[in-house]
Every structure is written in structure tokens, then in C-alpha cells.
Amino acid sequence: MFAESATLLRVKPSATAAASAKARALRAAGRDIIALDAGEPDFDTPDTIKEAAIRAIRDGKTKYTDVDGIPELKAAIVAKFARENGLTYKTSQVNVSPGGKPVIFNAMMASLSPGDQVVIPAPYWVSYPDMVLLAGGEPVFVPSRAETGFKIDPAALEAAITPRTRWLILNSPSNPSGGAYTRAELKAVAAVLLRHPKVWILTDDMYEHLVFGDFEFTTIAQVEPALYDRTLTMNGVSKAYAMTGWRIGYAAGPEPLIAAMRKVVSQTTSNPCSVSQWAAVEALNGPQTFIRPNAALFETRRDLVVSMLNQAAGLKCPTPEGAFYVYPSCEALIGKTAPGGTLIASDADFAAALLEAEGVSVVFGAAFGLSPFFRISYATSNALLEDACARIQRFCGSLR
Ligand SMILES: Cc1ncc(COP(=O)(O)O)c(C=O)c1O
């Protein structure tokens, strides 16, 4: 009989992938479902990027490459960090992997020994704790509050750090909350880290280009240069360039860490797809003109969703600074009963009953380590968002 490894038994499958699969199955069975659970832009990869990939295929750029990325892409990444983040790296400080997800996993595999701790602010992106567990480490959670935009209190971070802490994982703008740290907020986090020189920082800047209004995106190594020598600045083309399927993520950091990550990659995945790497060169070096209009479109959707959710009985939805998620509280609805008689005892019950009653698929907050909330991805059309929010209003109004 098959038995999972002891390591894998520590890990749970992705709750967001499970929600998407359930919504797809219901739709296949004929139900009218609006899926607000997926974390990817609803528009296509820009044509200039597709053309670069087609050229790469025609030019025979179809062989193995350096395991952690072609020199041309590393150079484009170095230029991106200098241009957009004021950060100076050499190409020897860059890792390219098949998506942002493997970048984080490779960093954990490269650095964690059994019992090492990784501080993860909650709510967190679903994969962080399980990647830490897979790599043999221990996640340590620091909850945040809606009232402070889901950003961690520096005192709570200080209290979570122990002699076993190896990393803090920061994610701004955040999946699932959309909350983004201001320069001053990052400075306050950095002040704590300066007192703990053994703690490294992995900053996941995947949603850098999706910030709204006059919010200024900054990243921690830029805000506090004294942390540069122990920061891995991670990013990718998936969200900013609508390239989720191409699988290119990257990071830059201290050479010894990058060399250790290269060792992991050389014995596991080897290089990311050669054609996707050439597409990513074009994404980073080519015209950036579609980024701002896309962010502006997402901002109108955020405003629509926040406004409609705050009109739903019992929901409270903060206005996030970025990404394409909102993370409303359903606290006032816990303990109520749905028309079919189902008790809403948790955010998981809320999401399940909402899907059952109105066919709207969201992801419950417990999956992200902070309840009672749920996550909505608003990366879909305004018409669908309006329909979905009207259904949510009707559902909340029906609870007794
Ligand atoms: C915060 C965050 N980091 C990393 C990733 C992974 O990105 P990729 O699709 O490039 O692996 C995601 C994707 O959902 C994300 O939301």
C-alpha cells in the first residue's frame, strides 16, 4: 500500500487550488458559478512578449540553459532592480526559477535545518508555511489586524523572534489581504530586524506593480540598506505581465545564498523553460506601457468590490493598497443560520454556504491563517464582480 513520506505528511494541499477545483467541478455539473478564488490576471500576455517567445522557438533557443537562468535574463533582472527599486546587484546574485513559488521553496531548501524557524505574518499566502515544513523548518505565525491594514505590529514581530529564527517572510502587497507596507512601516519592521542580525528576510514583491492611487511601492533592502546583506528580494513576471502559465520567477540576494539555491536547482528542476526565459527578457526590457493602465483597471474593480461588500449585512471590508484581493471580515455573521438550516460557525462554513446558496466561490480565511475572514480575488470582469457582490449581499441578508 502507498504511504506518504513523513515529510509530506506534515504538509496540506493548497486550499486555494482546492477551492478552484470545487468551483470547476460544480460548473461542469451545470451549476451557475462565479469563481472569485483564483489568483491570476484575467487578461492575456501582451503580444510583444508572445512574439519574443515565438522568435526564440524559431531561433532554436530550445536547449538546456544555465540552471538558474540565461545571462540575458539575469542582466534584465539586474537592470529591473536598479531601475525600479534602486537596488544594485550583480548577475551572480540572481536566481531564475520556474515561477516565484520555486524561488521561495529553493531558498528554504537551501537554508533550513531541522528546527529552524521562519516567521510568517498572518494572513499569509497559503504556500509559505507548507514550503517551510517541506524544507524541514517550523513556521511561526504573527497575526495582524484588519484595523492596521493587516500589517504586522513591530512589537509582535520582536516577540516572535527566537534564537532559532532564520527568516522573516514579508509579502507586500499581500496575497490574501492586498495590504501593502508604506516606507515608514517597512522602516519600523527593519528597526526590529537590525536588532537581530541572524534573521534573514525574504521579501515577496510579486504584486509590486499592482498598487493604487498615489501609493509608493518600496522594498525592504531599498528602505534599509543595512539589511541588503541578508535580504532575498523575490519577484516574478506572473502577475505584472499576465504570465502565470509561463513559469518564470526570480530573486536577487547575497551570493552564498544564490549559490546554495543553484545547488538545489541543479539537482532538481534544472533550468526554467528556455522559451519562457526569452519571453521574460522581453517583459522586463520591453515596453512597460500596459502596466499602469492595468493597475488602474484593477483599482476601479477594487473600489467596486469594497463598496458593494460594505453594503452587505454583517460584512466589513477594508480598502487595500494593492494586489487584486480583498479580505473582508464575516465576524458579525458567525453564529447565524443559512435558509437551509446550516449553522455558520466559521469562515469555512460561510464560504461553503455561500457557494451552495449563490454559486459564488471564495476562499475562507482559515486557509490564510487569520479568521473569521474570506478572500475575494477581483481579477475578473466588472459585470461578473457586480453580479457576484449582489449575490453575496443577498446571501448575507438571508442569514438569521
Ligand atoms: C504572494 C505570492 N507569491 C508568489 C506567488 C507565486 O507566483 P508564481 O505563479 O510565479 O509561482 C504567488 C501566486 O499566487 C503569490 O500570490
Side-chain angles (χ1 to χ4, degrees):
M1 202 178 87
F2 173 76
E4 280 188 10
S5 69
T7 305
L8 197 61
L9 283 172
R10 304 174 78 201
V11 165
K12 55 187 179 329
S14 160
T16 44
S20 296
K22 185 158 185 203
R24 269 198 303 273
L26 285 173
R27 191 178 285 141
R31 287 277 312 270
D32 166 25
I33 301 292
I34 304 180
L36 304 182
D37 49 61
E40 64 181 345
D42 56 318
F43 45 85
D44 201 2
T45 306
D47 281 341
T48 46
I49 298 174
K50 290 183 184 171
E51 291 302 329
I54 293 164
R55 266 198 315 277
I57 294 173
R58 293 220 169 94
D59 293 349
K61 290 172 172 158
T62 53
K63 307 285 195 207
Y64 289 132
T65 73
D66 290 346
V67 293
D68 58 356
I70 54 176
E72 292 82 352
L73 180 51
K74 289 185 179 179
I77 290 163
V78 165
K80 175 261 180 275
F81 279 127
R83 181 177 70 236
E84 296 181 344
N85 310 110
L87 289 171
T88 306
Y89 292 109
K90 295 184 282 207
T91 51
S92 55
Q93 291 180 273
V94 173
N95 171 278
V96 185
S97 290
K101 210 173 217 180
V103 172
I104 304 167
F105 182 63
N106 294 338
M108 295 301 119
M109 284 302 285
S111 61
L112 293 180
S113 297
D116 282 350
Q117 295 175 344
V118 178
V119 174
I120 302 176
Y124 46 72
W125 180 44
V126 286
S127 296
Y128 299 142
D130 294 286
M131 289 200 267
V132 169
L133 289 166
L134 269 178
E138 304 289 343
V140 172
F141 303 114
V142 178
S144 64
R145 296 184 310 125
E147 292 72 22
T148 51
F150 299 105
K151 286 164 271 186
I152 43 167
D153 173 12
L157 170 62
E158 179 87 58
I161 294 175
T162 75
R164 305 295 324 243
T165 308
R166 284 298 302 274
W167 289 96
L168 162 69
I169 300 185
L170 274 180
N171 173 216
S172 168
S174 153
N175 176 3
S177 74
Y181 287 76
T182 63
R183 183 180 285 270
E185 286 163 345
L186 278 182
K187 266 272 184 209
V189 169
V192 174
L193 295 163
L194 288 174
R195 289 195 286 276
H196 298 278
K198 286 195 178 151
V199 178
W200 285 50
I201 303 99
L202 190 163
T203 175
D204 177 342
D205 298 349
M206 209 57 163
Y207 295 92
E208 164 177 11
H209 289 300
L210 293 172
V211 291
F212 309 136
D214 53 9
F215 185 88
E216 182 207 3
F217 172 86
T218 51
T219 189
I220 195 156
Q222 166 191 28
V223 166
E224 182 45 83
L227 295 175
Y228 174 90
D229 287 336
R230 49 186 167 115
T231 298
L232 185 68
T233 304
M234 174 266 187
N235 211 314
V237 295
S238 296
K239 316 282 173 168
Y241 301 93
M243 292 177 69
T244 46
W246 298 75
R247 311 309 302 136
I248 296 290
Y250 58 84
E255 266 175 15
L257 169 63
I258 296 297
M261 290 167 69
R262 188 181 311 124
K263 190 160 138 189
V264 175
V265 172
S266 72
Q267 296 292 22
T268 53
T269 55
S270 284
N271 64 275
C273 167
S274 59
V275 174
S276 296
Q277 290 191 69
W278 285 103
V281 170
E282 173 62 24
L284 295 178
N285 286 347
Q288 306 290 307
T289 40
F290 54 89
I291 287 185
R292 285 208 147 271
N294 279 342
L297 173 65
F298 277 120
E299 184 171 354
T300 62
R301 291 172 176 178
R302 175 203 62 177
D303 293 344
L304 167 76
V305 169
V306 168
S307 158
M308 286 190 76
L309 291 178
N310 278 322
Q311 291 167 49
L315 294 187
K316 251 205 247 171
C317 186
T319 304
E321 294 88 357
F324 40 66
Y325 308 103
V326 290
Y327 201 60
S329 164
C330 54
E331 188 172 12
L333 301 175
I334 302 298
K336 296 205 180 253
T337 306
T342 313
L343 175 68
I344 309 292
S346 64
D347 52 27
D349 291 345
F350 175 86
L354 172 64
L355 182 61
E356 183 53 42
E358 293 287 352
V360 178
S361 176
V362 301
V363 185
F364 56 91
F368 308 101
L370 198 75
S371 292
F373 295 88
F374 61 98
R375 186 193 79 173
I376 282 181
S377 164
Y378 54 83
T380 191
S381 72
N382 287 35
L384 274 181
L385 289 173
E386 268 178 45
D387 186 357
C389 290
R391 294 187 196 195
I392 293 172
Q393 287 176 353
R394 193 161 58 212
F395 175 69
C396 292
S398 74
L399 300 178
R400 292 288 170 263

